[in-house]
Amino acid sequence: MSGAALGIEIVVVFFLALFLLHRYGDFKKQHKMVLFGTLLAWYLCFLIVFILPLDVSTTIYKQCKIDNEEHSTYSAVTVHSNQSTRNDSTTPAGLRKECYKPWSYIPDGIMPIFWRVVYWTSQCLTWLLLPFMQSYARSGGFSITGKIKTALIENAIYYGTYLLIFGSLLIYVAVHPNLIGHLDWYQLQTIGITAANTWGLFLLVLLLGYGLVEIPRSYWNASRRGHLLMKTYFKAAKLMTEKADAEESLEDAMEEVRKVSECIKYNHPLRKNIDTILKKCPTEYQEKMGRNMDDYEDFDEKQNVYPSEKSLVKLHKQVIYAVQRHNRTRVQWQILLETAFHLEDVAKNETSGTHQFVRSCTPQEPEGFISRYLYTPTVEWYWECLLRQWCYRILAVMLTLFSVAVVWSECTFFSTQPVLSLFAVFIQLAEKTYNYLYIEMACFLTIFFLCTCVYSTVFRIRVFNYYYLASHHQTDAYSLQFSGMLFCRLTPPLCLNFLGLIHMDSAISHQNREQTAYTSIMGSMRVLSFIADGFYIYYPMLIVLLCIATYFSLGTRCLNLLGFQQFVGDNDMTSDLIDEGKELIRREKRKRQRVEDGENRRREWKERYGNQREDYTRNRNVQSSEMRETNYSDTNNSNRQAMKYTRSNNRPERDRIELLQEAEPMDFNAETFADDPLDAEAGRHPAVGRYLSMSRSRIFDDV
């Protein structure tokens, strides 16, 4: 199994990242570079989370071998020096312990190269490529040079912040020559890694302090359906306001595009820029503007004031932002509607005596194999109405205990004698019994919980609501790039903080232990003593204050006082928004039910009368063809007889026929004539009228 576990996890993690990208992104509509950048960022971050437990177990095995070598060396020295019997009886030979190789052991030399490639690739993505790609995609420029220039200007603040932190640390090292003798490439590399980790740890603690409290509380509130339904109504009222603003902004942008499109004609030099803007507009607006264009009118025939290229760039960026905001609010509104309908159905089905879950609206997604055969209405009723709330409560209690353990360990992980960090205690107990599977599972679950608390916080906080992750291919390209950029910035310092919690980072624990390959790539933080001995140790203690503030909802109450509407139970504004959201959900449900009723009626009508109508139409066509053939043969016979009798000097009969041909039909009524056959009843009379009015021949032509 040497290195096999590493190879298997590399392949499995790739398909996991690909599956998640397929679930949240859209392979058909989104740009391939956006998808590739997001996939690579997610893949590298998932690799760190999945491979780091293997690095920990391999390091524990190496530490055991080092301890045995030291014990063997010390025993040989004591025997050779002929010490006393007391010393001989206490030789460490009896302390020698057998080392068991872990099932996921990774040979020497592989992990340092692996971590170096993963770390530096992710850092290049998060600090250089992804922000540049995000700004490039949102730029309003029409040329590649213009977009690159705009992207560099917009990302100057990010690059400037990173260079400022790196420069400050470099100056600090330069003015303190007693710290190191001279600067080399390895030390410069360590300073750069320290700067990136410092920025990440600063944001990490802020997000973690919120998530450690809010995630367990969210699961506990999810078990209270009345509270969750009221909060959903509140969100609906707020999101409807934002959705209306987005639609209004889109209408204003489309009106500006229409004016500019009518002003700049087909042969104007800036017309290609207008076509680029039109491609970014929604399809219905493109069709509407296309019908109103007149390409036969030259641009220089009228003395119009034409917009400049700079104003078109600004309009292009405005259109991109308006379309993105409109799509975001539309997707979020649909997701919120499905959630509200489901919660209302659960509330109605709780009192059902049939134990069958009945939905008020048909779900938008088609039923799969699991929903059709395994997740039946009976199973769904027992899960939604009985078991789910108790499972959520148990999960909330477990997550609360996990959060308490994380907070305690963040405040005490610097203490090695005695060991106060709970995670370090658990790992050291498993280390004594060489339970590598437990060590790897404990490391993975802890890192996964920390990542969940941090990443979910970003998409929960209202200030970050500009980005979202929506399943079923509903996430836009900018949110995908933002998530990849954020994951790459926060995952390395989060894993380094986890290694400090379990006392596997010697720069923080100050223990003479074997370092993990991940820590060796990060470099020795002792180059910057105030970072290793100060910021990395005492700054995470701030998490206690953040958890207390989150528990009492101090941030929510402050935002509510400042005018930002937040869900506060004892507030009149909250009650008004709940009532407004409830009415909005009721209106949307009636609208959807009317649509479903109409579709059901059409389906029933087609099933009941569709076959009869097809048979009637088929028989009528057959009869019509037979009548046409019969009339055609009769007409030919009549014509032959008429020609025969005409040749025989029957002049009065021929004159009578000509008079009848010139006569107007007496049964024609101009009022019953219809241009569209569908507008007349049964579609028969308009066809006759149209035939009579447009043909030069008359009704007695076949005589």
Side-chain angles (χ1 to χ4, degrees):
M1 292 294 291
S2 178
L6 178 63
I8 292 173
E9 289 203 4
I10 289 175
V11 176
V12 171
V13 169
F14 174 77
F15 285 104
L16 175 62
L18 187 64
F19 169 75
L20 292 177
L21 183 61
H22 177 265
R23 179 176 176 81
Y24 290 97
D26 193 346
F27 288 174
K28 296 181 180 179
K29 296 181 180 180
Q30 291 169 349
H31 198 274
K32 297 298 184 284
M33 290 302 298
V34 173
L35 296 174
F36 176 75
T38 305
L39 176 63
L40 185 59
W42 288 8
Y43 178 54
L44 295 176
C45 294
F46 293 164
L47 278 178
I48 297 176
V49 175
F50 279 84
I51 304 300
L52 187 60
L54 305 184
D55 193 5
V56 171
S57 62
T58 303
T59 304
I60 292 175
Y61 173 70
K62 292 179 180 179
Q63 182 63 40
C64 177
K65 293 174 62 178
I66 293 173
D67 293 341
N68 284 341
E69 291 177 359
E70 292 178 353
H71 293 328
S72 300
T73 304
Y74 181 74
S75 177
V77 170
T78 54
V79 171
H80 182 72
S81 62
N82 295 321
Q83 291 183 351
S84 62
T85 308
R86 180 175 179 273
N87 291 334
D88 289 337
S89 62
T90 59
T91 54
L95 298 176
R96 179 181 178 86
K97 51 186 178 180
E98 185 178 359
C99 298
Y100 297 95
K101 182 181 290 187
W103 68 277
S104 58
Y105 175 75
I106 301 174
D108 296 337
I110 295 180
M111 290 307 300
I113 299 175
F114 175 81
W115 287 129
R116 190 175 290 112
V117 172
V118 170
Y119 179 78
W120 287 111
T121 306
S122 63
Q123 293 305 299
C124 290
L125 280 174
T126 185
W127 292 104
L128 298 176
L129 296 181
L130 287 179
F132 180 82
M133 291 171 60
Q134 196 174 22
S135 300
Y136 183 88
R138 294 180 56 190
S139 173
F142 299 101
S143 62
I144 298 178
T145 305
K147 289 185 176 182
I148 292 176
K149 181 180 178 181
T150 304
L152 291 176
I153 293 175
E154 289 184 356
N155 286 279
I157 183 172
Y158 297 106
Y159 303 144
T161 303
Y162 187 71
L163 292 176
L164 179 62
I165 297 175
F166 179 78
S168 302
L169 297 177
L170 188 62
I171 294 173
Y172 175 81
V173 174
V175 298
H176 292 80
N178 56 338
L179 295 176
I180 52 177
H182 64 281
L183 289 175
D184 55 9
W185 171 248
Y186 175 76
Q187 292 168 349
L188 288 176
Q189 180 179 341
T190 303
I191 293 174
I193 294 175
T194 304
N197 290 335
T198 302
W199 188 95
L201 185 63
F202 176 79
L203 183 60
L204 180 68
V205 172
L206 297 178
L207 299 175
L208 192 60
Y210 179 85
L212 288 175
V213 176
E214 191 61 30
I215 288 183
R217 183 163 59 184
S218 65
Y219 280 99
W220 182 264
N221 291 332
S223 64
R224 303 162 53 197
R225 296 192 183 89
H227 176 272
L228 190 59
L229 186 58
M230 293 300 105
K231 192 172 183 179
T232 304
Y233 289 151
F234 177 82
K235 290 181 180 179
K238 291 186 62 177
L239 186 58
M240 189 62 187
T241 303
E242 186 178 358
K243 184 173 178 288
D245 294 340
E247 292 175 352
E248 184 178 355
S249 300
L250 182 63
E251 290 289 343
D252 295 340
M254 293 300 102
E255 181 64 22
E256 293 293 331
V257 172
R258 185 190 62 80
K259 293 179 180 178
V260 175
S261 178
E262 292 178 354
C263 178
I264 298 179
K265 299 301 178 181
Y266 72 100
N267 55 350
H268 195 279
L270 297 178
R271 183 62 200 182
K272 58 181 181 180
N273 298 339
I274 299 297
D275 295 336
T276 303
I277 296 176
L278 289 175
K279 292 179 181 179
K280 302 296 177 61
C281 300
T283 307
E284 57 271 16
Y285 290 98
Q286 293 183 19
E287 296 175 353
K288 187 184 300 183
M289 295 177 190
R291 291 194 296 266
N292 297 330
M293 288 182 57
D294 187 9
D295 288 344
Y296 297 99
E297 185 177 358
D298 294 336
F299 74 94
D300 53 355
E301 291 181 357
K302 296 182 179 180
Q303 300 297 325
N304 296 328
V305 179
Y306 299 103
S308 61
E309 186 176 359
K310 186 176 181 180
S311 61
L312 291 181
V313 169
K314 185 178 180 181
L315 178 61
H316 189 199
K317 187 173 182 179
Q318 180 184 356
V319 169
I320 293 175
Y321 175 76
V323 172
Q324 177 192 358
R325 187 185 177 195
H326 178 262
N327 293 335
R328 174 180 61 85
T329 54
R330 179 179 55 82
V331 171
Q332 290 179 337
W333 177 251
Q334 294 299 326
I335 295 174
L336 191 63
L337 284 180
E338 295 295 332
T339 303
F341 294 161
H342 178 72
L343 292 175
E344 290 181 347
D345 293 340
V346 171
K348 292 179 180 178
N349 283 273
E350 283 182 346
T351 58
S352 175
T354 59
H355 295 179
Q356 296 282 333
F357 195 87
V358 180
R359 298 179 181 273
S360 59
C361 297
T362 305
Q364 298 293 324
E365 304 174 8
E367 293 185 355
F369 175 80
I370 297 178
S371 300
R372 187 175 301 174
Y373 297 102
L374 300 180
Y375 196 60
T376 59
T378 303
V379 176
E380 187 176 4
W381 186 90
Y382 278 101
W383 167 249
E384 294 291 345
C385 300
L386 292 180
L387 300 177
R388 187 169 189 170
Q389 56 181 348
W390 292 105
C391 292
Y392 276 14
R393 289 175 183 176
I394 295 173
L395 182 60
V397 173
M398 295 174 59
L399 293 177
T400 302
L401 296 177
F402 217 131
S403 298
V404 172
V406 170
V407 174
W408 172 262
S409 301
E410 289 286 355
C411 297
T412 59
F413 71 92
F414 58 89
S415 176
T416 57
Q417 293 295 334
V419 178
L420 298 178
S421 175
L422 297 179
F423 296 103
V425 171
F426 297 151
I427 296 299
Q428 290 178 7
L429 289 176
E431 183 179 352
K432 294 179 181 179
T433 59
Y434 299 101
N435 193 347
Y436 294 111
L437 183 61
Y438 168 79
I439 293 173
E440 293 171 2
M441 291 301 299
C443 293
F444 173 75
L445 292 177
T446 305
I447 297 174
F448 182 77
F449 176 72
L450 295 176
C451 291
T452 304
C453 292
V454 172
Y455 299 149
S456 63
T457 303
V458 178
F459 298 100
R460 284 174 181 267
I461 298 178
R462 181 64 182 87
V463 112
F464 293 102
N465 199 31
Y466 183 75
Y467 301 99
Y468 68 100
L469 286 178
S471 58
H472 308 292
H473 321 291
Q474 298 297 324
T475 307
D476 59 6
Y478 312 106
S479 298
L480 291 175
Q481 292 175 336
F482 177 78
S483 63
M485 181 174 61
L486 190 72
F487 292 172
C488 290
R489 291 187 184 184
L490 295 180
T491 303
L494 186 145
C495 293
L496 195 63
N497 178 258
F498 166 74
L499 292 176
L501 294 180
I502 62 174
H503 292 175
M504 297 290 289
D505 187 0
S506 59
I508 297 176
S509 62
H510 301 285
Q511 292 179 335
N512 189 15
R513 288 178 55 92
E514 178 72 13
Q515 290 188 357
T516 61
Y518 185 82
T519 309
S520 63
I521 295 302
M522 291 296 174
S524 178
M525 297 302 166
R526 294 173 185 174
V527 175
L528 303 173
S529 59
F530 77 98
I531 295 291
D533 300 333
F535 183 78
Y536 279 4
I537 292 178
Y538 297 105
Y539 179 70
M541 295 182 183
L542 184 63
I543 200 171
V544 179
L545 299 178
L546 295 172
C547 289
I548 294 174
T550 306
Y551 178 78
F552 291 102
S553 303
L554 297 182
T556 301
R557 298 181 186 276
C558 291
L559 290 175
N560 194 43
L561 291 176
L562 293 176
F564 298 95
Q565 299 166 353
Q566 302 294 319
F567 185 76
V568 181
D570 53 351
N571 193 351
D572 295 336
M573 182 62 70
T574 302
S575 302
D576 295 339
L577 289 176
I578 289 175
D579 296 337
E580 180 182 352
K582 188 175 182 179
E583 183 61 30
L584 290 173
I585 296 298
R586 187 183 295 113
R587 188 184 308 167
E588 291 292 334
K589 179 179 286 188
R590 288 198 300 266
K591 185 187 300 184
R592 182 171 295 187
Q593 287 176 348
R594 285 196 299 269
V595 173
E596 292 179 0
D597 293 341
E599 293 178 356
N600 292 333
R601 284 195 298 269
R602 284 192 295 270
R603 190 182 302 111
E604 292 176 358
W605 179 270
K606 185 176 181 180
E607 292 176 355
R608 181 178 301 177
Y609 300 104
N611 297 330
Q612 299 178 4
R613 188 177 183 88
E614 291 177 359
D615 296 338
Y616 173 75
T617 305
R618 189 182 302 109
N619 295 332
R620 184 178 178 185
N621 293 333
V622 172
Q623 293 176 2
S624 299
S625 61
E626 293 177 354
M627 290 177 63
R628 283 196 300 269
E629 293 176 358
T630 304
N631 293 335
Y632 178 75
S633 59
D634 294 341
T635 304
N636 291 336
N637 295 331
S638 301
N639 291 335
R640 290 194 203 98
Q641 294 177 2
M643 291 176 62
K644 181 174 66 174
Y645 289 112
T646 302
R647 291 190 186 96
S648 62
N649 300 328
N650 193 356
R651 186 64 177 269
E653 184 69 19
R654 186 171 58 187
D655 294 341
R656 185 173 67 84
I657 294 174
E658 290 178 358
L659 289 175
L660 290 174
Q661 289 178 351
E662 294 177 359
E664 288 288 343
M666 301 302 294
D667 58 347
F668 178 78
N669 188 3
E671 295 179 356
T672 61
F673 175 73
D675 292 334
D676 191 0
L678 297 177
D679 294 336
E681 184 179 0
R684 293 190 299 269
H685 301 292
V688 176
R690 183 166 183 150
Y691 173 79
L692 292 176
S693 62
M694 297 185 64
S695 177
R696 292 186 179 182
S697 59
R698 301 305 177 188
I699 194 170
F700 294 105
D701 285 353
D702 59 344
V703 176

